[in-house]
Structures are given as C-alpha cells and as structure tokens.
Amino acid sequence: MGHHSCCNQQKVKRGLWSPEEDEKLIRYITTHGYGCWSEVPEKAGLQRCGKSCRLRWINYLRPDIRRGRFTPEEEKLIISLHGAVGNRWAHIASHLPGRTDNEIKNYWNSWIKKKIRKPSSSSTIISSTQKSDQNPQFTFAQNQHLDLFNQDNFSTKSSHVHQDTLFPLPSSSFMFEISPSLEGPSIFQENGPLSSETWQLHRQHDQVVQQGEMVQYTTSSSLTPLIDNLDNIMVPIEVQNCGINVGGGNLTTIDCMQRNAINEWVVETQQCPNYFFWDQAEGQLGGEEIIPAATSNLSTMMSAFPSSI
DNA sequence: AAGATGTTCAACCGCTATCGC
DNA sequence: AGCGATAGCGGTTGAACATCT
C-alpha cells in the first residue's frame, strides 16, 4: 500500500526518467502508438505505471514538443488567456502549439512568485505605451493583478459562477490577443470559432486591426470581464491605450466587441449598457436586457456587479 | 568555501470526467 | 443506470541547480 492505484505492479520505478527509459518509450510509441496507457509499460518493457508513461510522453517526449524559453508573444498570449480563463492550463496550452500545460503552469507559478516578491513602485495601471517591452509581462499586469491571480478569482473547475469571480480591486486591465494563430479574439475563442480566413477586428470607423497585432483594453474602474464556464462572458470594456479613443474618455459610453453578420469582430461604442455577456445560443454579445432571461449563475454575477458605470 | 536560501521544473498525487460494458 | 477502467486536469512536491550570505 501507499502506492498509487495505477502503480500496483510488483516493481514500479518512480522519479526521473533515464535516457534508456525514454528511448524505450519513444521506440514503442513511435512504432505502436498508444491505445491504452496501462498496457504501454509492459509492452515497452518499462517498470513504470501507465500514467507515468503517459505523462512522460505528453510533457516531454512527443516529437512536436516545443522547448526553450517562452517568446514574448507566447508570454503575452499566456497572460491574455490566463486573464480570460484563469488556471485552466490545459486550455491555455491548447493555444500554444508544442507547449504543455505543465510547462505553462510552471512558468506562471514561478513568474507570480517572482513578481510578488518584488513589490512594484506603482499601484496603478501602467499603460502599454508607458512600459517598455523588455519585460513583456509588465505590459499587461501589475502587482495588483498578481494578487488577483493568486486569489484564483476565476475558478478553474466549477461550472458555475462564484461570488469571488468578481475582481475585488478597483481597477484592472484586460488584453485581447489578436493573433494569427487564433481564429478570433482569444476571449471569444471558446464561444464558436470564427472562420480564420474571414475574421477581422474592426475599430470604430472601420479601422482594421491587423492579425498579429496586440490590442490592450483597460477596463474602467470596477469594470472587469466576468467569465463563468465560458458559455457566458461579460465583457464591459473601455478602450484605452490602443491609439484610438473610441470610448470618448468617460464612462457614459462603453465599448464592446461584437461579431457582425459577416463574422467580423467589431468594436462598438454603446451608451451605458451595464452588462454584456456572451450569449451562446444567440451567438452574440448580449446586453443587460437579456440577462434576466439567462441563468441564475448570471444573476449571481449581475447582483454582484457594479450597478453604475 | 560552504551552508542557507531561492528557483526551476519534471514528476507525482488526488480528483473528476469520460468511456465502455 | 451502474460500475470499473482510463484519460486528463490542476495542485503540489522535491530533487537538482542557482544564487546569496
């Protein structure tokens, strides 16, 4: 006893993999594939449990694995996605070809620790234009956000909204990655991918945001994206730092991203809608008027959401 | 020089979701 | 429907390595 249930063979090796073990696993998988991981160790001649083999293959040995430091683009994408979905590492990894959830998780955790230990000199939002790119992570997040991340505001497992889904702090920023590798703004990725050939994000006055361009939206005070299980997303955004003032600089208007009839993403300025959320059934960003018809989860969000903008 | 402390990251653990019967 | 097996996920651990004192 004391061993994991999958490791109940007589001799099960644990710990780091030796090059010989790696070779055995690679040779077996490349010639036979893996139908059932529990059968792999015996057939490959390894004194490991199937679970360990699976992990070793997925996180280290598979041929399409990508190694080395994260690029600034990857870092930005991780930050953006983490802002959208929280600690859902596998989901985040699915947007970074060749990267594993484990690697991203490790990166994120060590990054958080590092930043927490170094108190920032500023407690306010730093605009993307004020900060150099030599420290890519700082183009988005400040210590405030790290606190937020640490509090795990976006629940990683629940399928419903918690009260603590809300950001408790007065301001936050939020970034949309407009990446060629994505089929649309990443936050909306889960809600029905767009045709990768046709999507475009338009700013007001039909100014097209190029693929690969990073657009940072900073939410106004108390306004933060709220996400439950990715079926519903509330995105009150005020556009700042993107070079174009679409929001009018006050809180009587708010910008939201919407998909138009021809599957383009459009930033629209609207008058004082209190809430937006992604209505999966309708396939569009909804306003406050349809929230009452939504789930009780959304009601939870709404009740906790600032009542005035 | 060497022990203490910090960092990284591969691997493990426990849990849930899914599958197949 | 129920149940055991398996896959997959995210939190955590701890060995190896790096840096500090």
Side-chain angles (χ1 to χ4, degrees):
Chain A
M1 67 185 289
H3 278 171
H4 190 270
S5 59
C6 81
C7 307
N8 52 7
Q9 296 173 29
Q10 196 69 7
K11 297 179 296 181
V12 178
K13 191 173 180 299
R14 302 159 62 94
L16 297 179
W17 281 62
S18 69
E20 291 74 24
E21 288 178 306
D22 282 347
E23 191 184 336
K24 282 183 180 176
L25 185 58
I26 291 170
R27 195 185 313 131
Y28 177 80
I29 299 294
T30 52
T31 55
H32 299 89
Y34 54 88
C36 176
W37 281 108
S38 62
E39 297 171 357
V40 167
E42 187 184 348
K43 292 181 176 173
L46 289 162
Q47 311 296 319
R48 296 270 181 176
C49 68
K51 196 170 180 175
S52 180
C53 293
R54 175 188 165 272
L55 198 72
R56 183 64 179 168
W57 176 258
I58 287 175
N59 280 350
Y60 201 83
L61 296 178
R62 34 177 256 254
D64 59 332
I65 210 83
R66 182 184 164 100
R67 318 223 126 263
R69 287 184 58 82
F70 286 95
T71 66
E73 289 71 29
E74 285 176 315
E75 288 180 339
K76 288 175 183 174
L77 187 50
I78 290 168
I79 292 164
S80 169
L81 290 166
H82 190 277
V85 304
N87 294 358
R88 294 177 58 185
W89 307 116
H91 171 82
I92 294 172
S94 71
H95 291 281
L96 289 102
R99 299 295 191 180
T100 67
D101 54 354
N102 210 36
E103 191 178 15
I104 293 168
K105 178 173 57 184
N106 283 333
Y107 168 74
W108 183 267
N109 286 334
S110 60
W111 179 67
I112 287 176
K113 272 191 280 184
K114 192 163 52 181
K115 298 310 163 197
I116 284 177
R117 237 197 2 269
K118 289 182 183 174
S120 167
S121 60
S122 170
S123 61
T124 58
I125 295 296
I126 303 169
S127 82
S128 60
T129 55
Q130 289 174 303
K131 201 70 182 160
S132 80
D133 276 335
Q134 60 193 9
N135 243 342
Q137 56 265 42
F138 273 120
T139 62
F140 165 67
Q142 293 74 49
N143 54 340
Q144 271 188 328
H145 290 93
L146 300 175
D147 291 341
L148 293 170
F149 296 144
N150 243 14
Q151 290 164 19
D152 196 17
N153 288 281
F154 292 119
S155 173
T156 57
K157 284 189 174 179
S158 70
S159 59
H160 66 282
V161 175
H162 294 287
Q163 287 287 343
D164 64 3
T165 300
L166 291 166
F167 288 107
L169 294 178
S171 61
S172 65
S173 64
F174 194 81
M175 184 179 286
F176 292 93
E177 167 78 0
I178 312 301
S179 163
S181 65
L182 299 179
E183 293 174 313
S186 58
I187 187 174
F188 297 129
Q189 180 84 6
E190 288 287 322
N191 303 287
L194 302 172
S195 158
S196 58
E197 290 78 26
T198 59
W199 76 265
Q200 286 179 321
L201 174 67
H202 285 253
R203 291 172 179 163
Q204 207 174 24
H205 311 306
D206 292 331
Q207 290 174 281
V208 177
V209 178
Q210 299 301 316
Q211 288 192 8
E213 181 176 357
M214 182 70 72
V215 181
Q216 177 163 332
Y217 295 89
T218 301
T219 63
S220 57
S221 176
S222 302
L223 299 179
T224 54
L226 301 179
I227 302 160
D228 58 0
N229 60 359
L230 289 178
D231 290 337
N232 303 291
I233 299 178
M234 303 169 69
V235 191
I237 54 174
E238 183 186 12
V239 179
Q240 296 176 359
N241 302 330
C242 64
I244 299 169
N245 179 7
V246 269
N250 61 59
L251 298 180
T252 60
T253 62
I254 193 168
D255 300 289
C256 68
M257 296 170 65
Q258 270 186 316
R259 198 166 60 175
N260 66 17
I262 56 170
N263 261 4
E264 293 173 328
W265 286 97
V266 181
V267 174
E268 291 202 347
T269 301
Q270 300 197 4
Q271 293 291 323
C272 292
N274 285 332
Y275 311 102
F276 294 98
F277 73 98
W278 184 263
D279 182 29
Q280 186 157 24
E282 293 294 319
Q284 63 184 14
L285 209 60
E288 60 178 334
E289 71 281 0
I290 49 179
I291 281 183
T295 66
S296 58
N297 295 334
L298 281 171
S299 299
T300 303
M301 286 200 291
M302 187 171 69
S303 64
F305 202 67
S307 58
S308 63
I309 296 183

